[in-house]
Amino acid sequence: KQTQPKAWMFLLKVNAKTRRLMRHWEDLMADIQLVGDAPSIAPNPKTYKQNRHDQALLAMLLHASLVDTGLCSTYRGARPKSPDWAPKLHPVYGIDGLRGRMGTFPDVAYL
């Protein structure tokens, strides 16, 4: 099973990088074309349940900043890559030096 960042619960250390991440996310969430539920041009697969627009945008922002969310671990090695290929920080949404950690945190009290 793939792990996707959860938009309903996460922790941030407040600093310039995380503030920038939140500004990007807020701006993208304000775009109705990205978060609306208008019917798609292409049909959804049979396994489709619902779109979590907020989670999808958060995951894309984290990927733009090269934060390892574990999403691609299933596909690592599935496709041969050129030896000179390397992921690059996105020129608009990438935040240099942004770090993250995904997982379960048993010592955190859930309210």
Side-chain angles (χ1 to χ4, degrees), residues 19-56:
R19 286 181 192 273
R20 186 171 169 208
L21 174 68
M22 292 294 100
R23 272 194 305 275
H24 284 321
W25 195 25
E26 182 178 19
D27 291 346
L28 291 172
M29 289 297 296
D31 185 339
I32 193 66
Q33 294 293 324
L34 297 176
V35 298
D37 284 322
S40 177
I41 295 170
N44 292 321
K46 291 179 183 179
T47 57
Y48 177 81
K49 292 182 182 174
Q50 68 178 1
N51 189 330
R52 289 297 314 268
H53 308 290
D54 52 345
Q55 255 175 230

PDB file of all heavy atoms in Angstrom, residues 19-56:
ATOM      1  N   ARG A  19       6.548  28.138   6.292  1.00  0.00           N
ATOM      2  CA  ARG A  19       5.598  29.214   5.962  1.00  0.00           C
ATOM      3  C   ARG A  19       5.428  29.328   4.451  1.00  0.00           C
ATOM      4  O   ARG A  19       4.331  29.526   3.948  1.00  0.00           O
ATOM      5  CB  ARG A  19       6.065  30.545   6.540  1.00  0.00           C
ATOM      6  CG  ARG A  19       5.892  30.648   8.034  1.00  0.00           C
ATOM      7  CD  ARG A  19       6.364  32.015   8.526  1.00  0.00           C
ATOM      8  NE  ARG A  19       6.476  32.058   9.955  1.00  0.00           N
ATOM      9  CZ  ARG A  19       5.492  32.353  10.791  1.00  0.00           C
ATOM     10  NH1 ARG A  19       4.302  32.617  10.315  1.00  0.00           N
ATOM     11  NH2 ARG A  19       5.704  32.363  12.088  1.00  0.00           N
ATOM     12  N   ARG A  20       6.522  29.185   3.728  1.00  0.00           N
ATOM     13  CA  ARG A  20       6.441  29.231   2.262  1.00  0.00           C
ATOM     14  C   ARG A  20       5.626  28.049   1.734  1.00  0.00           C
ATOM     15  O   ARG A  20       4.802  28.209   0.827  1.00  0.00           O
ATOM     16  CB  ARG A  20       7.850  29.233   1.673  1.00  0.00           C
ATOM     17  CG  ARG A  20       7.870  29.420   0.182  1.00  0.00           C
ATOM     18  CD  ARG A  20       9.270  29.643  -0.324  1.00  0.00           C
ATOM     19  NE  ARG A  20       9.277  29.569  -1.770  1.00  0.00           N
ATOM     20  CZ  ARG A  20      10.309  29.204  -2.483  1.00  0.00           C
ATOM     21  NH1 ARG A  20      11.453  28.908  -1.893  1.00  0.00           N
ATOM     22  NH2 ARG A  20      10.232  29.140  -3.785  1.00  0.00           N
ATOM     23  N   LEU A  21       5.840  26.861   2.295  1.00  0.00           N
ATOM     24  CA  LEU A  21       5.056  25.684   1.912  1.00  0.00           C
ATOM     25  C   LEU A  21       3.566  25.943   2.130  1.00  0.00           C
ATOM     26  O   LEU A  21       2.742  25.673   1.257  1.00  0.00           O
ATOM     27  CB  LEU A  21       5.501  24.459   2.724  1.00  0.00           C
ATOM     28  CG  LEU A  21       4.669  23.195   2.537  1.00  0.00           C
ATOM     29  CD1 LEU A  21       4.848  22.619   1.139  1.00  0.00           C
ATOM     30  CD2 LEU A  21       5.031  22.173   3.602  1.00  0.00           C
ATOM     31  N   MET A  22       3.215  26.489   3.273  1.00  0.00           N
ATOM     32  CA  MET A  22       1.804  26.763   3.579  1.00  0.00           C
ATOM     33  C   MET A  22       1.225  27.842   2.662  1.00  0.00           C
ATOM     34  O   MET A  22       0.068  27.755   2.249  1.00  0.00           O
ATOM     35  CB  MET A  22       1.640  27.186   5.043  1.00  0.00           C
ATOM     36  CG  MET A  22       1.910  26.068   6.043  1.00  0.00           C
ATOM     37  SD  MET A  22       0.689  24.726   5.943  1.00  0.00           S
ATOM     38  CE  MET A  22       1.574  23.503   4.988  1.00  0.00           C
ATOM     39  N   ARG A  23       2.032  28.843   2.300  1.00  0.00           N
ATOM     40  CA  ARG A  23       1.552  29.873   1.354  1.00  0.00           C
ATOM     41  C   ARG A  23       1.277  29.254  -0.011  1.00  0.00           C
ATOM     42  O   ARG A  23       0.242  29.531  -0.632  1.00  0.00           O
ATOM     43  CB  ARG A  23       2.576  30.998   1.210  1.00  0.00           C
ATOM     44  CG  ARG A  23       2.427  32.106   2.223  1.00  0.00           C
ATOM     45  CD  ARG A  23       3.217  33.347   1.842  1.00  0.00           C
ATOM     46  NE  ARG A  23       4.627  33.105   1.607  1.00  0.00           N
ATOM     47  CZ  ARG A  23       5.564  33.072   2.554  1.00  0.00           C
ATOM     48  NH1 ARG A  23       5.229  33.273   3.807  1.00  0.00           N
ATOM     49  NH2 ARG A  23       6.812  32.841   2.248  1.00  0.00           N
ATOM     50  N   HIS A  24       2.188  28.403  -0.488  1.00  0.00           N
ATOM     51  CA  HIS A  24       1.961  27.716  -1.771  1.00  0.00           C
ATOM     52  C   HIS A  24       0.688  26.880  -1.710  1.00  0.00           C
ATOM     53  O   HIS A  24      -0.131  26.915  -2.629  1.00  0.00           O
ATOM     54  CB  HIS A  24       3.133  26.788  -2.116  1.00  0.00           C
ATOM     55  CG  HIS A  24       4.355  27.472  -2.618  1.00  0.00           C
ATOM     56  ND1 HIS A  24       4.349  28.547  -3.472  1.00  0.00           N
ATOM     57  CD2 HIS A  24       5.669  27.207  -2.399  1.00  0.00           C
ATOM     58  CE1 HIS A  24       5.578  28.917  -3.758  1.00  0.00           C
ATOM     59  NE2 HIS A  24       6.403  28.120  -3.104  1.00  0.00           N
ATOM     60  N   TRP A  25       0.532  26.130  -0.634  1.00  0.00           N
ATOM     61  CA  TRP A  25      -0.631  25.240  -0.503  1.00  0.00           C
ATOM     62  C   TRP A  25      -1.919  26.055  -0.466  1.00  0.00           C
ATOM     63  O   TRP A  25      -2.897  25.724  -1.134  1.00  0.00           O
ATOM     64  CB  TRP A  25      -0.468  24.397   0.749  1.00  0.00           C
ATOM     65  CG  TRP A  25      -1.366  23.204   0.837  1.00  0.00           C
ATOM     66  CD1 TRP A  25      -1.950  22.525  -0.191  1.00  0.00           C
ATOM     67  CD2 TRP A  25      -1.771  22.533   2.019  1.00  0.00           C
ATOM     68  NE1 TRP A  25      -2.686  21.463   0.286  1.00  0.00           N
ATOM     69  CE2 TRP A  25      -2.582  21.454   1.646  1.00  0.00           C
ATOM     70  CE3 TRP A  25      -1.516  22.729   3.366  1.00  0.00           C
ATOM     71  CZ2 TRP A  25      -3.159  20.589   2.565  1.00  0.00           C
ATOM     72  CZ3 TRP A  25      -2.072  21.860   4.274  1.00  0.00           C
ATOM     73  CH2 TRP A  25      -2.885  20.813   3.880  1.00  0.00           C
ATOM     74  N   GLU A  26      -1.924  27.134   0.296  1.00  0.00           N
ATOM     75  CA  GLU A  26      -3.120  27.984   0.375  1.00  0.00           C
ATOM     76  C   GLU A  26      -3.458  28.576  -0.998  1.00  0.00           C
ATOM     77  O   GLU A  26      -4.627  28.580  -1.408  1.00  0.00           O
ATOM     78  CB  GLU A  26      -2.890  29.107   1.386  1.00  0.00           C
ATOM     79  CG  GLU A  26      -4.093  29.999   1.567  1.00  0.00           C
ATOM     80  CD  GLU A  26      -3.874  31.079   2.600  1.00  0.00           C
ATOM     81  OE1 GLU A  26      -2.714  31.395   2.936  1.00  0.00           O
ATOM     82  OE2 GLU A  26      -4.886  31.637   3.070  1.00  0.00           O
ATOM     83  N   ASP A  27      -2.454  29.052  -1.718  1.00  0.00           N
ATOM     84  CA  ASP A  27      -2.691  29.615  -3.055  1.00  0.00           C
ATOM     85  C   ASP A  27      -3.267  28.566  -4.002  1.00  0.00           C
ATOM     86  O   ASP A  27      -4.199  28.846  -4.762  1.00  0.00           O
ATOM     87  CB  ASP A  27      -1.394  30.184  -3.642  1.00  0.00           C
ATOM     88  CG  ASP A  27      -0.914  31.431  -2.916  1.00  0.00           C
ATOM     89  OD1 ASP A  27      -1.701  32.020  -2.133  1.00  0.00           O
ATOM     90  OD2 ASP A  27       0.263  31.798  -3.111  1.00  0.00           O
ATOM     91  N   LEU A  28      -2.716  27.361  -3.985  1.00  0.00           N
ATOM     92  CA  LEU A  28      -3.213  26.302  -4.870  1.00  0.00           C
ATOM     93  C   LEU A  28      -4.622  25.867  -4.475  1.00  0.00           C
ATOM     94  O   LEU A  28      -5.465  25.609  -5.335  1.00  0.00           O
ATOM     95  CB  LEU A  28      -2.260  25.109  -4.859  1.00  0.00           C
ATOM     96  CG  LEU A  28      -0.901  25.360  -5.514  1.00  0.00           C
ATOM     97  CD1 LEU A  28       0.034  24.184  -5.269  1.00  0.00           C
ATOM     98  CD2 LEU A  28      -1.054  25.644  -6.998  1.00  0.00           C
ATOM     99  N   MET A  29      -4.902  25.804  -3.179  1.00  0.00           N
ATOM    100  CA  MET A  29      -6.236  25.403  -2.717  1.00  0.00           C
ATOM    101  C   MET A  29      -7.290  26.445  -3.087  1.00  0.00           C
ATOM    102  O   MET A  29      -8.478  26.137  -3.162  1.00  0.00           O
ATOM    103  CB  MET A  29      -6.233  25.169  -1.208  1.00  0.00           C
ATOM    104  CG  MET A  29      -5.481  23.923  -0.782  1.00  0.00           C
ATOM    105  SD  MET A  29      -6.209  22.388  -1.418  1.00  0.00           S
ATOM    106  CE  MET A  29      -7.787  22.395  -0.594  1.00  0.00           C
ATOM    107  N   ALA A  30      -6.893  27.682  -3.331  1.00  0.00           N
ATOM    108  CA  ALA A  30      -7.830  28.737  -3.714  1.00  0.00           C
ATOM    109  C   ALA A  30      -8.210  28.671  -5.198  1.00  0.00           C
ATOM    110  O   ALA A  30      -9.122  29.366  -5.634  1.00  0.00           O
ATOM    111  CB  ALA A  30      -7.222  30.107  -3.390  1.00  0.00           C
ATOM    112  N   ASP A  31      -7.533  27.822  -5.965  1.00  0.00           N
ATOM    113  CA  ASP A  31      -7.803  27.694  -7.403  1.00  0.00           C
ATOM    114  C   ASP A  31      -8.882  26.635  -7.624  1.00  0.00           C
ATOM    115  O   ASP A  31      -8.620  25.434  -7.509  1.00  0.00           O
ATOM    116  CB  ASP A  31      -6.515  27.318  -8.136  1.00  0.00           C
ATOM    117  CG  ASP A  31      -6.675  27.293  -9.643  1.00  0.00           C
ATOM    118  OD1 ASP A  31      -7.822  27.178 -10.140  1.00  0.00           O
ATOM    119  OD2 ASP A  31      -5.652  27.357 -10.328  1.00  0.00           O
ATOM    120  N   ILE A  32     -10.084  27.062  -7.948  1.00  0.00           N
ATOM    121  CA  ILE A  32     -11.220  26.144  -8.096  1.00  0.00           C
ATOM    122  C   ILE A  32     -10.982  25.099  -9.185  1.00  0.00           C
ATOM    123  O   ILE A  32     -11.499  23.987  -9.109  1.00  0.00           O
ATOM    124  CB  ILE A  32     -12.541  26.920  -8.351  1.00  0.00           C
ATOM    125  CG1 ILE A  32     -13.754  26.008  -8.178  1.00  0.00           C
ATOM    126  CG2 ILE A  32     -12.538  27.573  -9.721  1.00  0.00           C
ATOM    127  CD1 ILE A  32     -13.971  25.513  -6.784  1.00  0.00           C
ATOM    128  N   GLN A  33     -10.162  25.417 -10.184  1.00  0.00           N
ATOM    129  CA  GLN A  33      -9.855  24.437 -11.229  1.00  0.00           C
ATOM    130  C   GLN A  33      -9.088  23.244 -10.665  1.00  0.00           C
ATOM    131  O   GLN A  33      -9.169  22.138 -11.186  1.00  0.00           O
ATOM    132  CB  GLN A  33      -9.034  25.087 -12.354  1.00  0.00           C
ATOM    133  CG  GLN A  33      -9.784  26.142 -13.120  1.00  0.00           C
ATOM    134  CD  GLN A  33     -10.940  25.565 -13.922  1.00  0.00           C
ATOM    135  OE1 GLN A  33     -10.860  24.471 -14.452  1.00  0.00           O
ATOM    136  NE2 GLN A  33     -12.026  26.303 -13.993  1.00  0.00           N
ATOM    137  N   LEU A  34      -8.328  23.469  -9.599  1.00  0.00           N
ATOM    138  CA  LEU A  34      -7.539  22.395  -9.002  1.00  0.00           C
ATOM    139  C   LEU A  34      -8.319  21.607  -7.950  1.00  0.00           C
ATOM    140  O   LEU A  34      -8.036  20.435  -7.735  1.00  0.00           O
ATOM    141  CB  LEU A  34      -6.266  22.969  -8.358  1.00  0.00           C
ATOM    142  CG  LEU A  34      -5.283  23.643  -9.303  1.00  0.00           C
ATOM    143  CD1 LEU A  34      -4.131  24.250  -8.519  1.00  0.00           C
ATOM    144  CD2 LEU A  34      -4.767  22.651 -10.335  1.00  0.00           C
ATOM    145  N   VAL A  35      -9.258  22.242  -7.284  1.00  0.00           N
ATOM    146  CA  VAL A  35      -9.912  21.583  -6.151  1.00  0.00           C
ATOM    147  C   VAL A  35     -11.409  21.345  -6.342  1.00  0.00           C
ATOM    148  O   VAL A  35     -12.060  20.773  -5.481  1.00  0.00           O
ATOM    149  CB  VAL A  35      -9.683  22.369  -4.839  1.00  0.00           C
ATOM    150  CG1 VAL A  35      -8.213  22.419  -4.513  1.00  0.00           C
ATOM    151  CG2 VAL A  35     -10.274  23.768  -4.906  1.00  0.00           C
ATOM    152  N   GLY A  36     -11.946  21.774  -7.480  1.00  0.00           N
ATOM    153  CA  GLY A  36     -13.369  21.571  -7.727  1.00  0.00           C
ATOM    154  C   GLY A  36     -13.675  20.123  -8.078  1.00  0.00           C
ATOM    155  O   GLY A  36     -12.799  19.345  -8.441  1.00  0.00           O
ATOM    156  N   ASP A  37     -14.923  19.778  -7.980  1.00  0.00           N
ATOM    157  CA  ASP A  37     -15.348  18.413  -8.288  1.00  0.00           C
ATOM    158  C   ASP A  37     -16.076  18.325  -9.621  1.00  0.00           C
ATOM    159  O   ASP A  37     -16.932  17.463  -9.819  1.00  0.00           O
ATOM    160  CB  ASP A  37     -16.237  17.868  -7.169  1.00  0.00           C
ATOM    161  CG  ASP A  37     -15.436  17.464  -5.949  1.00  0.00           C
ATOM    162  OD1 ASP A  37     -14.321  16.929  -6.128  1.00  0.00           O
ATOM    163  OD2 ASP A  37     -15.902  17.693  -4.823  1.00  0.00           O
ATOM    164  N   ALA A  38     -15.740  19.207 -10.545  1.00  0.00           N
ATOM    165  CA  ALA A  38     -16.328  19.133 -11.878  1.00  0.00           C
ATOM    166  C   ALA A  38     -15.940  17.793 -12.506  1.00  0.00           C
ATOM    167  O   ALA A  38     -14.855  17.279 -12.250  1.00  0.00           O
ATOM    168  CB  ALA A  38     -15.822  20.286 -12.739  1.00  0.00           C
ATOM    169  N   PRO A  39     -16.818  17.219 -13.309  1.00  0.00           N
ATOM    170  CA  PRO A  39     -16.500  15.925 -13.930  1.00  0.00           C
ATOM    171  C   PRO A  39     -15.208  15.991 -14.740  1.00  0.00           C
ATOM    172  O   PRO A  39     -14.922  16.981 -15.397  1.00  0.00           O
ATOM    173  CB  PRO A  39     -17.696  15.658 -14.848  1.00  0.00           C
ATOM    174  CG  PRO A  39     -18.785  16.527 -14.340  1.00  0.00           C
ATOM    175  CD  PRO A  39     -18.136  17.716 -13.698  1.00  0.00           C
ATOM    176  N   SER A  40     -14.460  14.914 -14.665  1.00  0.00           N
ATOM    177  CA  SER A  40     -13.205  14.813 -15.390  1.00  0.00           C
ATOM    178  C   SER A  40     -13.464  14.548 -16.855  1.00  0.00           C
ATOM    179  O   SER A  40     -14.481  13.956 -17.229  1.00  0.00           O
ATOM    180  CB  SER A  40     -12.376  13.665 -14.791  1.00  0.00           C
ATOM    181  OG  SER A  40     -11.193  13.505 -15.505  1.00  0.00           O
ATOM    182  N   ILE A  41     -12.546  14.965 -17.692  1.00  0.00           N
ATOM    183  CA  ILE A  41     -12.653  14.684 -19.126  1.00  0.00           C
ATOM    184  C   ILE A  41     -12.464  13.190 -19.370  1.00  0.00           C
ATOM    185  O   ILE A  41     -13.166  12.576 -20.147  1.00  0.00           O
ATOM    186  CB  ILE A  41     -11.597  15.494 -19.918  1.00  0.00           C
ATOM    187  CG1 ILE A  41     -11.895  16.986 -19.787  1.00  0.00           C
ATOM    188  CG2 ILE A  41     -11.562  15.087 -21.376  1.00  0.00           C
ATOM    189  CD1 ILE A  41     -10.799  17.882 -20.308  1.00  0.00           C
ATOM    190  N   ALA A  42     -11.508  12.601 -18.658  1.00  0.00           N
ATOM    191  CA  ALA A  42     -11.234  11.161 -18.783  1.00  0.00           C
ATOM    192  C   ALA A  42     -12.037  10.399 -17.720  1.00  0.00           C
ATOM    193  O   ALA A  42     -12.240  10.908 -16.620  1.00  0.00           O
ATOM    194  CB  ALA A  42      -9.746  10.900 -18.593  1.00  0.00           C
ATOM    195  N   PRO A  43     -12.485   9.207 -18.042  1.00  0.00           N
ATOM    196  CA  PRO A  43     -13.227   8.435 -17.032  1.00  0.00           C
ATOM    197  C   PRO A  43     -12.322   7.986 -15.888  1.00  0.00           C
ATOM    198  O   PRO A  43     -11.130   7.747 -16.078  1.00  0.00           O
ATOM    199  CB  PRO A  43     -13.755   7.239 -17.822  1.00  0.00           C
ATOM    200  CG  PRO A  43     -12.862   7.124 -19.010  1.00  0.00           C
ATOM    201  CD  PRO A  43     -12.353   8.501 -19.304  1.00  0.00           C
ATOM    202  N   ASN A  44     -12.886   7.899 -14.700  1.00  0.00           N
ATOM    203  CA  ASN A  44     -12.139   7.413 -13.540  1.00  0.00           C
ATOM    204  C   ASN A  44     -12.001   5.902 -13.601  1.00  0.00           C
ATOM    205  O   ASN A  44     -12.901   5.215 -14.090  1.00  0.00           O
ATOM    206  CB  ASN A  44     -12.864   7.793 -12.248  1.00  0.00           C
ATOM    207  CG  ASN A  44     -12.854   9.281 -12.005  1.00  0.00           C
ATOM    208  OD1 ASN A  44     -11.872   9.950 -12.257  1.00  0.00           O
ATOM    209  ND2 ASN A  44     -13.963   9.805 -11.518  1.00  0.00           N
ATOM    210  N   PRO A  45     -10.895   5.350 -13.089  1.00  0.00           N
ATOM    211  CA  PRO A  45     -10.769   3.890 -13.034  1.00  0.00           C
ATOM    212  C   PRO A  45     -11.814   3.304 -12.079  1.00  0.00           C
ATOM    213  O   PRO A  45     -12.348   3.998 -11.214  1.00  0.00           O
ATOM    214  CB  PRO A  45      -9.354   3.668 -12.512  1.00  0.00           C
ATOM    215  CG  PRO A  45      -8.820   4.984 -12.114  1.00  0.00           C
ATOM    216  CD  PRO A  45      -9.738   6.045 -12.588  1.00  0.00           C
ATOM    217  N   LYS A  46     -12.090   2.028 -12.232  1.00  0.00           N
ATOM    218  CA  LYS A  46     -13.098   1.370 -11.390  1.00  0.00           C
ATOM    219  C   LYS A  46     -12.726   1.404  -9.917  1.00  0.00           C
ATOM    220  O   LYS A  46     -13.602   1.372  -9.056  1.00  0.00           O
ATOM    221  CB  LYS A  46     -13.301  -0.072 -11.849  1.00  0.00           C
ATOM    222  CG  LYS A  46     -13.961  -0.163 -13.196  1.00  0.00           C
ATOM    223  CD  LYS A  46     -14.123  -1.603 -13.640  1.00  0.00           C
ATOM    224  CE  LYS A  46     -14.730  -1.625 -15.035  1.00  0.00           C
ATOM    225  NZ  LYS A  46     -14.894  -2.952 -15.550  1.00  0.00           N
ATOM    226  N   THR A  47     -11.449   1.460  -9.618  1.00  0.00           N
ATOM    227  CA  THR A  47     -11.001   1.459  -8.227  1.00  0.00           C
ATOM    228  C   THR A  47     -11.070   2.842  -7.577  1.00  0.00           C
ATOM    229  O   THR A  47     -10.821   2.978  -6.393  1.00  0.00           O
ATOM    230  CB  THR A  47      -9.551   0.953  -8.136  1.00  0.00           C
ATOM    231  OG1 THR A  47      -8.721   1.773  -8.968  1.00  0.00           O
ATOM    232  CG2 THR A  47      -9.463  -0.502  -8.580  1.00  0.00           C
ATOM    233  N   TYR A  48     -11.409   3.870  -8.353  1.00  0.00           N
ATOM    234  CA  TYR A  48     -11.471   5.243  -7.844  1.00  0.00           C
ATOM    235  C   TYR A  48     -12.574   5.380  -6.800  1.00  0.00           C
ATOM    236  O   TYR A  48     -13.690   4.914  -6.994  1.00  0.00           O
ATOM    237  CB  TYR A  48     -11.725   6.203  -9.007  1.00  0.00           C
ATOM    238  CG  TYR A  48     -11.883   7.645  -8.598  1.00  0.00           C
ATOM    239  CD1 TYR A  48     -10.783   8.433  -8.352  1.00  0.00           C
ATOM    240  CD2 TYR A  48     -13.149   8.210  -8.459  1.00  0.00           C
ATOM    241  CE1 TYR A  48     -10.915   9.756  -7.985  1.00  0.00           C
ATOM    242  CE2 TYR A  48     -13.289   9.531  -8.094  1.00  0.00           C
ATOM    243  CZ  TYR A  48     -12.169  10.297  -7.858  1.00  0.00           C
ATOM    244  OH  TYR A  48     -12.314  11.598  -7.487  1.00  0.00           O
ATOM    245  N   LYS A  49     -12.257   6.013  -5.671  1.00  0.00           N
ATOM    246  CA  LYS A  49     -13.255   6.244  -4.626  1.00  0.00           C
ATOM    247  C   LYS A  49     -13.601   7.719  -4.529  1.00  0.00           C
ATOM    248  O   LYS A  49     -14.757   8.102  -4.643  1.00  0.00           O
ATOM    249  CB  LYS A  49     -12.754   5.728  -3.284  1.00  0.00           C
ATOM    250  CG  LYS A  49     -12.635   4.221  -3.250  1.00  0.00           C
ATOM    251  CD  LYS A  49     -12.189   3.733  -1.905  1.00  0.00           C
ATOM    252  CE  LYS A  49     -12.040   2.218  -1.954  1.00  0.00           C
ATOM    253  NZ  LYS A  49     -11.479   1.674  -0.753  1.00  0.00           N
ATOM    254  N   GLN A  50     -12.609   8.551  -4.258  1.00  0.00           N
ATOM    255  CA  GLN A  50     -12.837   9.987  -4.179  1.00  0.00           C
ATOM    256  C   GLN A  50     -11.507  10.710  -4.309  1.00  0.00           C
ATOM    257  O   GLN A  50     -10.457  10.134  -4.093  1.00  0.00           O
ATOM    258  CB  GLN A  50     -13.503  10.368  -2.868  1.00  0.00           C
ATOM    259  CG  GLN A  50     -12.614  10.182  -1.646  1.00  0.00           C
ATOM    260  CD  GLN A  50     -13.299  10.612  -0.356  1.00  0.00           C
ATOM    261  OE1 GLN A  50     -14.432  11.037  -0.350  1.00  0.00           O
ATOM    262  NE2 GLN A  50     -12.596  10.480   0.745  1.00  0.00           N
ATOM    263  N   ASN A  51     -11.584  11.980  -4.657  1.00  0.00           N
ATOM    264  CA  ASN A  51     -10.373  12.781  -4.756  1.00  0.00           C
ATOM    265  C   ASN A  51     -10.179  13.541  -3.460  1.00  0.00           C
ATOM    266  O   ASN A  51     -11.107  14.175  -2.968  1.00  0.00           O
ATOM    267  CB  ASN A  51     -10.473  13.760  -5.920  1.00  0.00           C
ATOM    268  CG  ASN A  51      -9.160  14.459  -6.187  1.00  0.00           C
ATOM    269  OD1 ASN A  51      -8.356  14.681  -5.304  1.00  0.00           O
ATOM    270  ND2 ASN A  51      -8.943  14.811  -7.433  1.00  0.00           N
ATOM    271  N   ARG A  52      -8.991  13.457  -2.914  1.00  0.00           N
ATOM    272  CA  ARG A  52      -8.600  14.275  -1.769  1.00  0.00           C
ATOM    273  C   ARG A  52      -7.703  15.371  -2.321  1.00  0.00           C
ATOM    274  O   ARG A  52      -6.486  15.258  -2.334  1.00  0.00           O
ATOM    275  CB  ARG A  52      -7.861  13.427  -0.729  1.00  0.00           C
ATOM    276  CG  ARG A  52      -8.734  12.452   0.021  1.00  0.00           C
ATOM    277  CD  ARG A  52      -9.813  13.163   0.860  1.00  0.00           C
ATOM    278  NE  ARG A  52      -9.306  14.286   1.636  1.00  0.00           N
ATOM    279  CZ  ARG A  52      -8.869  14.208   2.883  1.00  0.00           C
ATOM    280  NH1 ARG A  52      -8.890  13.076   3.524  1.00  0.00           N
ATOM    281  NH2 ARG A  52      -8.412  15.282   3.492  1.00  0.00           N
ATOM    282  N   HIS A  53      -8.333  16.413  -2.844  1.00  0.00           N
ATOM    283  CA  HIS A  53      -7.601  17.497  -3.499  1.00  0.00           C
ATOM    284  C   HIS A  53      -6.525  18.079  -2.587  1.00  0.00           C
ATOM    285  O   HIS A  53      -5.410  18.337  -3.022  1.00  0.00           O
ATOM    286  CB  HIS A  53      -8.567  18.610  -3.919  1.00  0.00           C
ATOM    287  CG  HIS A  53      -9.723  18.135  -4.718  1.00  0.00           C
ATOM    288  ND1 HIS A  53      -9.600  17.681  -6.010  1.00  0.00           N
ATOM    289  CD2 HIS A  53     -11.041  18.033  -4.407  1.00  0.00           C
ATOM    290  CE1 HIS A  53     -10.787  17.328  -6.463  1.00  0.00           C
ATOM    291  NE2 HIS A  53     -11.676  17.532  -5.514  1.00  0.00           N
ATOM    292  N   ASP A  54      -6.874  18.269  -1.315  1.00  0.00           N
ATOM    293  CA  ASP A  54      -5.918  18.858  -0.374  1.00  0.00           C
ATOM    294  C   ASP A  54      -4.694  17.962  -0.203  1.00  0.00           C
ATOM    295  O   ASP A  54      -3.556  18.419  -0.237  1.00  0.00           O
ATOM    296  CB  ASP A  54      -6.575  19.157   0.972  1.00  0.00           C
ATOM    297  CG  ASP A  54      -7.310  17.955   1.569  1.00  0.00           C
ATOM    298  OD1 ASP A  54      -7.569  16.970   0.842  1.00  0.00           O
ATOM    299  OD2 ASP A  54      -7.625  18.005   2.772  1.00  0.00           O
ATOM    300  N   GLN A  55      -4.921  16.664  -0.067  1.00  0.00           N
ATOM    301  CA  GLN A  55      -3.811  15.721   0.080  1.00  0.00           C
ATOM    302  C   GLN A  55      -2.974  15.647  -1.185  1.00  0.00           C
ATOM    303  O   GLN A  55      -1.748  15.598  -1.128  1.00  0.00           O
ATOM    304  CB  GLN A  55      -4.359  14.325   0.396  1.00  0.00           C
ATOM    305  CG  GLN A  55      -4.177  13.943   1.823  1.00  0.00           C
ATOM    306  CD  GLN A  55      -4.823  12.628   2.163  1.00  0.00           C
ATOM    307  OE1 GLN A  55      -5.537  12.617   3.121  1.00  0.00           O
ATOM    308  NE2 GLN A  55      -4.596  11.562   1.460  1.00  0.00           N
ATOM    309  N   ALA A  56      -3.627  15.630  -2.325  1.00  0.00           N
ATOM    310  CA  ALA A  56      -2.902  15.541  -3.594  1.00  0.00           C
ATOM    311  C   ALA A  56      -2.005  16.761  -3.793  1.00  0.00           C
ATOM    312  O   ALA A  56      -0.841  16.627  -4.191  1.00  0.00           O
ATOM    313  CB  ALA A  56      -3.889  15.408  -4.755  1.00  0.00           C
TER     314      ALA A  56
END
